[in-house]
Amino acid sequence: MIKLTLKDGSIREVEAGLSAVEIIKGIGSGLLKAACCIKVDGEVKDIRTVINNDCEFEVMTFDTIEGKKTFWHTASHILAQAVKRLYPSVKLAIGPAIDNGFYYDFDIEKPFSADELLKIEAEMKKIVKEGIKLEQFEMSPQEAIAYLKEQNEPYKVELCEEHAENGEPISFYRQGEFTDLCAGPHLLSTSGVKAFKLLSCTGAYWRGSEKNKMLSRIYATAYPKAADLEADIKQREEAKLRDHNKLGRELELFTTVDVIGQGLPVLLPKGARVVQLLQRWIEDEEQKRGYLLTKTPLMAKSDLYKISGHWDHYLDGMFVLGDPKDETKECFALRPMTCPFQYQVFLNRQRSYRDLPMRLGETSTLFRNEDSGEMHGLIRVRQFTISEGHLILRPEQLEEEFKGCLELAKYVLETVGMLEDCTFRFSQWDPDNTEKYIGTPEQWEEAQSIMGKILDDLGVEYTIGIDEAAFYGPKLDIQYRNVYGKEDTIVTIQVDQLLAEQFNMEYVDVDGSKRRPYIIHRTSLGCYERTLAYLIEKYAGAFPLWLAPEQVKLIPIADRHLDYTNGICEKLSAMGIRCSVDDRAEKVGYKIRQAQLEKVPYMLVLGDNEVNDGKVAVRSRKDGDLGTMTYDELIAKLLKEIAEKAR
């Protein structure tokens, strides 16, 4: 007999060698029908898995992240099977679950049309109705490669060959006549995928590189219940209306230009103003918290990056000026991060324990050579600006300084209204992928243990991301879920015990001995361009007053009211209010509607009554007509709302 510790803490004794399906039946929990997969001692496994040892045993349903991904992964296989039935010559690439559904990439002569997507959906419904069982089996690497070549699946062959070097068996899943290279886990059968929708078909380079062939990617989502699918589709329609790529251009916040290049957006005056407001606020807030401002070069010789390790571990992501293989000539690279530059501030002279903690902050412009297939509006770009900072400190100061970094990040995200959509991930190294990292296993275990204790002491609820660490240390990633349900990292706080040694950074301690400092790499708001994109979507372009590129639009009813209107505008401008006068020869109603479309927070309508009484008629974007106010009442209201950063 073996003992299972269930999610509720209870312990059950069952026979060894039973599958999870048999165990769940025996427990009588009624979860079998809803089960997507299981988690055994923290590892997600297929529901068919045989249990032989005492373990923590948890049934994962669609309500869990792991359950959703298993459900969507099964749905992706149903999609691929349907496409193969209808288009037998198609070549299969990959079909993973993603944050809000799944996709599958196909090599086919032309992209699927809307009518073809409907046809594929109909075939998927047949497959679901057939209730086909999914069965896992394994082959040796040699057998797997031979089988996939026989099936004329070159993309699968490429993937299989990469995993063949370790000699371990290769996993496949079979459902009826369809077989796919896959590690799983999956549902027991296709019948559980009750409701699904093919959302779109787009082009996608194989492995995200423009050097590879363009494939046809079908995006889709699926649910156990039709009502949940309907709610998702409704939410997606709302998300389209908020899409920053569409709305940001309509509101003239940013644009992209072919002759400039992909991933190099141009911030138009309104967008540039929002970013400027954020930058000034962050720099002022960091100064209040003891940060020292730096301004470092945008490029450096390869020598600097070789010391830091970026040359060996990040070269493919850098823009290099010169030949990196020619040792006889200087080679430069645009900076992908600021840390090795800011370390020079510490190294400028001998430091003592009295200089620490040294908190260095910089509004940094960075450059990363992303694949063209990864470019997306303001979210994935090649040049961006970031609120970057590095704290150099004594080991005993680590927890307090980490706490300060986390408090700053949470305050900033709460103020702009994004914290409510954030989760926390403790990103760790992968001991099975050591080539990606510097340092020894012992150093990594020590760093992760220290950081884990800090997070637990601070009461941070987090998930663990294996192989998500920086190459020099573990980190806390604050993940933001956008209007489409996709999750991206918005802020990071990283603990680093290794780069101080690379740069020979030392300080003189209380006893006169020389010691290595610890370093915290952190951002307080992250990438400003990405944040602008998220804020456009969060507020549908209607920014809070303090962030609005234009805060007040003044609308004179007739030309005879222009002098009074311009006078009010000058007084508001003198108080730092961003405003303008709409003096076009248009009707007042039209001007108000136009200001509403431009998402201006307040409109002042000025006519005979306002001129005679020395007042302003105030209209709010959010609350409509607010009646008349004196200038002093108006400015007090505006300044209070701005000071409070009200949303």
Side-chain angles (χ1 to χ4, degrees):
M1 300 293 286
I2 61 173
K3 292 181 179 179
L4 303 179
T5 303
L6 303 184
K7 185 180 180 182
D8 62 6
S10 64
I11 297 176
R12 300 290 182 93
E13 286 195 350
V14 300
E15 292 183 25
L18 294 179
S19 70
V21 173
E22 294 170 308
I23 291 171
I24 296 170
K25 283 181 180 177
I27 292 173
S29 62
L31 283 176
L32 185 58
K33 190 174 180 181
C36 296
C37 55
I38 58 169
K39 187 181 280 188
V40 180
D41 288 337
E43 184 178 353
V44 179
K45 294 181 175 292
D46 195 283
I47 196 168
R48 304 160 189 76
T49 301
V50 174
I51 309 299
N52 285 310
N53 301 306
D54 295 351
C55 62
E56 292 184 2
F57 183 93
E58 187 175 352
V59 180
M60 313 305 289
T61 66
F62 190 80
D63 294 331
T64 65
I65 293 174
E66 297 88 349
K68 280 186 174 68
K69 288 191 177 296
T70 299
F71 190 94
W72 286 333
H73 195 182
T74 302
S76 80
H77 277 223
I78 295 172
L79 166 59
Q81 184 178 15
V83 171
K84 266 293 191 182
R85 283 185 178 182
L86 296 170
Y87 309 92
S89 63
V90 75
K91 304 295 185 292
L92 302 176
I94 57 172
I98 53 178
D99 290 336
N100 57 352
F102 61 95
Y103 68 79
Y104 212 109
D105 287 346
F106 303 96
D107 186 351
I108 194 167
E109 288 185 8
K110 60 178 183 177
F112 298 102
S113 67
D115 288 341
E116 287 174 313
L117 292 184
L118 292 174
K119 188 177 176 182
I120 294 167
E121 273 189 0
E123 192 63 36
M124 290 175 69
K125 289 176 182 176
K126 292 179 184 178
I127 294 169
V128 170
K129 192 173 182 179
E130 291 169 21
I132 305 170
K133 290 183 178 180
L134 283 87
E135 302 170 310
Q136 186 180 27
F137 65 94
E138 293 180 338
M139 294 185 186
S140 70
Q142 295 75 22
E143 291 173 327
I145 292 170
Y147 169 76
L148 292 169
K149 285 182 177 179
E150 182 183 334
Q151 296 298 310
N152 194 19
E153 295 289 358
Y155 301 99
K156 301 292 184 182
V157 170
E158 182 178 327
L159 294 171
C160 196
E161 287 176 340
E162 290 180 359
H163 291 86
E165 296 179 1
N166 57 22
E168 295 180 358
I170 305 295
S171 172
F172 289 81
Y173 272 83
R174 180 190 298 118
Q175 57 192 62
E177 82 287 355
F178 175 76
T179 299
D180 204 353
L181 175 72
C182 184
H186 282 286
L187 304 181
L188 288 170
S189 82
T190 61
S191 61
V193 185
K194 300 294 186 185
F196 50 85
K197 179 70 176 175
L198 302 188
L199 302 167
S200 63
C201 180
T202 64
Y205 290 112
W206 170 236
R207 297 196 148 178
S209 173
E210 70 273 16
K211 298 176 183 177
N212 296 327
K213 188 170 183 180
M214 176 74 77
L215 306 177
S216 289
R217 173 173 296 178
I218 296 178
Y219 281 101
T221 192
Y223 287 86
K225 297 177 182 177
D228 293 334
L229 176 63
E230 290 173 9
D232 185 344
I233 298 301
K234 184 177 179 181
Q235 188 275 332
R236 288 173 187 268
E237 291 302 317
E238 171 65 21
K240 286 181 183 178
L241 298 176
R242 294 171 174 263
D243 189 307
H244 86 278
N245 239 337
K246 174 179 179 291
L247 198 53
R249 297 170 199 272
E250 290 175 355
L251 294 174
E252 297 187 358
L253 293 161
F254 77 97
T255 188
T256 51
V257 183
D258 287 344
V259 294
I260 292 179
Q262 278 189 302
L264 300 169
V266 175
L267 293 185
L268 300 174
K270 290 181 180 179
R273 180 67 69 195
V274 176
V275 169
Q276 181 193 56
L277 291 164
L278 290 169
Q279 288 180 1
R280 287 175 172 175
W281 170 53
I282 292 297
E283 288 179 355
D284 289 346
E285 189 61 39
E286 288 181 346
Q287 183 174 328
K288 292 177 189 174
R289 297 173 187 243
Y291 281 79
L292 304 174
L293 185 65
T294 68
K295 188 172 179 61
T296 55
L298 299 180
M299 67 176 78
K301 295 194 297 184
S302 61
D303 306 55
L304 182 72
Y305 304 116
K306 288 175 181 177
I307 297 171
S308 67
H310 290 102
W311 201 252
D312 292 329
H313 294 271
Y314 205 82
L315 184 60
D316 289 344
M318 297 167 70
F319 287 101
V320 178
L321 310 176
D323 184 354
K325 296 179 182 178
D326 187 348
E327 298 289 340
T328 65
K329 297 180 180 178
E330 282 189 333
C331 183
F332 289 79
L334 299 177
R335 63 180 184 187
M337 62 286 296
T338 314
C339 44
F341 295 84
Q342 284 197 324
Y343 297 162
Q344 307 311 310
V345 177
F346 176 89
L347 291 166
N348 186 51
R349 61 175 173 82
Q350 178 68 61
R351 302 292 177 179
S352 87
Y353 69 94
R354 293 187 180 89
D355 296 313
L356 307 183
M358 178 182 284
R359 306 183 188 101
L360 303 175
E362 181 166 338
T363 302
S364 303
T365 299
L366 304 180
F367 306 85
R368 295 186 183 175
N369 191 10
E370 303 276 4
D371 289 330
S372 61
E374 299 295 318
M375 298 299 102
H376 177 60
L378 296 175
I379 290 177
R380 185 73 67 179
V381 292
R382 286 174 169 154
Q383 175 185 314
F384 57 94
T385 309
I386 193 169
S387 58
E388 196 163 15
H390 297 87
L391 291 80
I392 304 167
L393 42 97
R394 300 160 64 189
E396 54 267 31
Q397 296 170 327
L398 180 61
E399 182 161 352
E400 188 63 26
E401 291 302 313
F402 191 99
K403 178 182 178 183
C405 293
L406 181 56
E407 286 176 347
L408 173 59
K410 290 173 74 173
Y411 162 73
V412 168
L413 292 170
E414 172 68 27
T415 301
V416 297
M418 293 171 60
L419 186 61
E420 60 198 39
D421 297 309
C422 288
T423 55
F424 299 87
R425 183 181 71 195
F426 181 8
S427 295
Q428 304 180 1
W429 84 320
D430 182 357
D432 296 324
N433 186 22
T434 55
E435 291 183 4
K436 180 179 173 180
Y437 304 96
I438 62 175
T440 65
E442 292 76 20
Q443 288 173 314
W444 274 93
E445 289 304 317
E446 180 184 3
Q448 290 183 172
S449 175
I450 291 170
M451 187 166 173
K453 180 180 182 302
I454 290 172
L455 294 176
D456 292 340
D457 288 348
L458 296 177
V460 178
E461 294 184 11
Y462 57 83
T463 58
I464 292 176
I466 301 298
D467 204 25
E468 296 288 349
F471 71 82
Y472 47 78
K475 54 181 178 157
L476 177 68
D477 288 322
I478 302 181
Q479 304 290 105
Y480 179 75
R481 187 175 294 274
N482 69 11
V483 291
Y484 287 100
K486 187 180 184 303
E487 202 172 79
D488 282 308
T489 301
I490 187 74
V491 168
T492 64
I493 307 173
Q494 305 170 11
V495 173
D496 172 15
Q497 297 173 278
L498 300 175
L499 290 186
E501 183 175 351
Q502 301 280 101
F503 281 88
N504 196 28
M505 298 167 71
E506 294 178 333
Y507 67 93
V508 179
D509 208 354
V510 180
D511 61 2
S513 63
K514 291 187 176 181
R515 297 184 65 187
R516 298 275 186 217
Y518 277 19
I519 300 170
I520 296 176
H521 306 240
R522 49 99 278 177
T523 53
S524 47
L525 186 60
C527 170
Y528 286 105
E529 289 82 358
R530 180 177 288 185
T531 299
L532 175 58
Y534 291 149
L535 292 176
I536 293 169
E537 295 180 350
K538 174 79 176 178
Y539 295 109
F543 298 108
L545 180 65
W546 72 281
L547 274 179
E550 184 170 19
Q551 296 168 312
V552 178
K553 180 77 77 177
L554 292 89
I555 302 172
I557 293 177
D559 287 349
R560 63 180 180 275
H561 308 124
L562 266 175
D563 288 345
Y564 181 72
T565 302
N566 288 330
I568 296 292
C569 186
E570 290 174 6
K571 290 169 70 176
L572 289 172
S573 296
M575 295 298 294
I577 303 298
R578 297 180 292 280
C579 57
S580 67
V581 175
D582 186 347
D583 56 5
R584 294 175 298 167
E586 300 284 356
K587 293 181 179 180
V588 171
Y590 174 84
K591 293 181 181 181
I592 291 173
R593 286 192 297 274
Q594 189 65 30
Q596 290 275 16
L597 290 173
E598 293 174 6
K599 313 291 186 180
V600 180
Y602 288 99
M603 291 139 273
L604 306 184
V605 181
L606 305 163
D608 289 338
N609 291 337
E610 288 71 35
V611 172
N612 293 333
D613 297 340
K615 293 186 176 183
V616 292
V618 184
R619 186 175 186 84
S620 164
R621 176 186 65 199
K622 182 170 61 174
D623 301 318
D625 188 1
L626 300 182
T628 59
M629 299 181 189
T630 65
Y631 169 79
D632 289 340
E633 289 171 337
L634 171 67
I635 197 67
K637 173 180 173 58
L638 296 177
L639 293 180
K640 181 176 184 292
E641 191 173 332
I642 292 168
E644 293 175 351
K645 293 183 170 57
R647 300 208 298 270

